[in-house]
Amino acid sequence: MKEYIVEITETLQKQVKIKANSKEEADRKIREKYKRGEIILNENNFVKTDLLIISEYKINNIER
């Protein structure tokens, strides 16, 4: 029997409207709001799950 290390990545996604004079300003404003916790993503924003097997080990004789 073997053991595996599996990486699980969940992707959340949300679209947010923001008023700005340029794309750069919109980007800056959204990043600031996100950093301050004004934009929060949760399970309702779930898009997908990815699984990736990173390593394989033999039990009792740990090898990569």
Side-chain angles (χ1 to χ4, degrees), residues 1-3 5 7-8 11 13 15-17 30 35 37-41 44-46 49 52-53 56 58 62-63:
M1 184 174 287
K2 299 176 182 177
E3 288 186 332
I5 294 179
E7 179 179 87
I8 302 169
T11 302
Q13 188 176 70
Q15 294 184 0
V16 179
K17 289 184 182 180
I30 289 294
K35 187 176 180 179
E38 296 175 27
I39 299 171
I40 297 175
L41 283 70
N44 296 322
N45 305 113
F46 176 80
T49 300
L52 175 65
I53 297 177
E56 175 183 313
K58 291 183 181 178
I62 298 177
E63 296 179 2

Side-chain angles (χ1 to χ4, degrees), residues 17-21 25-26 29:
K17 289 184 182 180
I18 187 109
K19 292 182 181 180
N21 293 314
E25 182 183 8
K29 284 182 170 185

Side-chain angles (χ1 to χ4, degrees), residues 1 4 6 10 14-15 17 27 37 42 47 50 57-58 62:
M1 184 174 287
Y4 298 87
V6 180
E10 290 187 342
K14 184 175 189 173
Q15 294 184 0
K17 289 184 182 180
D27 182 72
N42 59 35
V47 176
D50 293 313
Y57 296 92
K58 291 183 181 178
I62 298 177

